[in-house]
Amino acid sequence: MPSHRVTIAEIAASAGVSVPTVSKVLNGRADVAEATRQRVQQIMADRGYQRRSSGAQRPVGLIDMAVPGLDSPWVVEVLRGAEAEARKVGSQIVLTSTERAPAGDRRWLDRLATRRSDGLVLVVSEAAPQTVDQLAALHTPVVLLDPVGGGNPSYATVGATNWAGGLSAVEHLVALGHRRIAALSGPPQLACSRERVEGYRAGLGRAGIAVDERLVHFSDFCISGGEAGARIVLDMPDPPTAIFAGSDMQAFGVFQEAAARGLRIPEDLSVVGFDDIAFSELTTPPLTTVHQPLARMAAEAVRLLLDAGDGMPGPPPRVELATHLVVRGSTGPAPTIG
């Protein structure tokens, strides 16, 4: 253990880089070579570096959260978890809706710079390219919740085991005798959308069932996306007997399309959702779904922000919380054909 507090200058000397480069690494700047970033972070961890507190870094009790919209029960669950965790430390959530556009317009950044913030949680969103450096200049920690793509490597991320969730949904349907299983998911640029479908593919593969690509559709996570996807696969000459929807909202859309066709759930069509939002057990029949711990994910994102504010060294953490299948009434044995 060092006998004195390690300084940035000592870290820079050990790493063979400049003090500004170490500062960039500490603030998550993207304009640092990855090998250099890793070397600096390793030296900080080895030498027990801790960032000094200063008046500019003292908590102000405000945590910003940018969400893609305010019209989803999914977002309500996320906000519930974030607000509960913030309340534990006497902080408040400042909410911004990006309306599904990249976060970080000029007015928003100006407000952030004027009033300061203890950190920013970006929910199923991404920062506009020019925003990354501007946030770093404000010394604002950022955590990505369900990140777009793979997430910016400079930021901590919190997600769920989407692949495992998709796998468990398909394994459940296969065990019920289903062989024609469709998969609907959200926008393909979202990592969670792709991972849920990859879990679906793995589940079919383990059962020795070939993937019929005509049964796989990406749209949006809304009811309309579920209706549109269900319409396509149910119009096929050999329609599926089960549909795995990438969100509960999509599953509700599948319910509506099935009702419009006179199909009974689960007698004619089994449906599995993903998220386990509050409404999922209130449908008729109640929805079988993959439980995603949304409130816990948001609480973990807030905790990571507060840790980042304390200047913790090392690479930004990547957190994945477990999903699990909740079996209700919307799934049943595959219908007998003929």
Side-chain angles (χ1 to χ4, degrees):
M1 295 293 291
S3 58
H4 69 286
R5 192 181 186 102
V6 180
T7 67
I8 288 181
E10 290 170 329
I11 297 295
S14 297
V17 299
S18 66
V19 169
T21 296
V22 176
S23 180
K24 288 180 179 181
V25 173
L26 281 169
N27 291 314
R29 289 279 294 271
D31 53 337
V32 179
E34 186 57 28
T36 300
R37 183 190 309 280
Q38 291 180 5
R39 184 167 74 254
V40 170
Q41 289 172 336
Q42 185 61 56
I43 291 171
M44 287 192 293
D46 291 344
R47 302 197 61 180
Y49 173 79
Q50 291 184 333
R51 177 178 283 176
R52 290 183 183 274
S53 296
S54 68
Q57 293 169 335
R58 279 196 287 268
V60 295
L62 296 176
I63 296 172
D64 278 85
M65 177 169 282
V67 299
L70 300 174
D71 55 353
S72 167
W74 189 99
V75 171
V76 172
E77 276 295 294
V78 167
L79 293 177
R80 184 174 66 82
E83 196 279 331
E85 188 64 26
R87 190 169 58 245
K88 291 179 183 178
V89 296
S91 293
Q92 294 179 314
I93 299 295
V94 180
L95 184 62
T96 299
S97 174
T98 67
E99 300 301 328
R100 295 174 175 80
D105 64 61
R106 168 50 57 188
R107 289 187 299 172
W108 179 73
L109 284 166
D110 287 345
R111 288 196 302 270
L112 200 61
T114 300
R115 61 172 165 75
R116 293 189 55 235
S117 173
D118 293 329
L120 168 66
V121 180
L122 288 176
V123 182
V124 196
S125 186
E126 59 184 331
Q130 72 275 12
T131 304
V132 175
D133 283 344
Q134 292 166 327
L135 286 172
L138 295 174
H139 305 288
T140 302
V142 177
V143 175
L144 307 179
L145 182 62
D146 248 4
V148 172
N152 187 309
S154 299
Y155 297 149
T157 63
V158 179
T161 52
N162 293 294
W163 183 92
L167 175 68
S168 65
V170 172
E171 287 184 335
H172 170 65
L173 292 169
V174 168
L176 290 170
H178 295 277
R179 295 298 180 268
R180 292 284 291 170
I181 303 171
L184 312 180
S185 198
Q189 69 269 25
L190 296 184
C192 60
S193 297
R194 300 192 305 272
E195 290 164 1
R196 291 168 197 178
V197 171
E198 289 307 310
Y200 155 86
R201 295 179 189 277
L204 292 180
R206 289 186 181 185
I209 302 172
V211 177
D212 184 344
E213 295 297 339
R214 298 174 302 162
L215 293 175
V216 180
H217 290 275
F218 293 91
S219 179
D220 59 52
F221 279 133
C222 303
I223 290 177
S224 58
E227 286 181 308
R231 192 174 303 119
I232 292 171
V233 298
L234 293 175
D235 277 342
M236 294 175 64
D238 48 350
T241 61
I243 295 178
F244 165 50
S247 75
D248 289 347
M249 298 301 287
Q250 281 188 326
F252 300 159
V254 174
F255 271 47
Q256 291 188 1
E257 183 61 26
R261 294 168 180 260
L263 296 176
R264 300 165 300 162
I265 296 175
E267 292 83 359
D268 303 317
L269 179 69
S270 285
V271 181
V272 180
F274 200 110
D275 287 331
D276 195 22
I277 61 176
F279 294 154
S280 62
E281 56 185 331
L282 302 178
T283 56
T284 304
L287 179 65
T288 294
T289 185
V290 177
H291 176 81
Q292 182 174 205
L294 297 172
R296 281 182 53 214
M297 288 162 61
E300 183 64 25
V302 170
R303 283 194 290 270
L304 288 178
L305 277 185
L306 298 175
D307 288 345
D310 289 336
M312 293 184 66
R318 302 285 186 263
V319 178
E320 275 195 344
L321 300 181
T323 57
H324 66 270
L325 186 69
V326 179
V327 178
R328 298 191 180 106
S330 67
T331 51
T336 302
I337 300 175

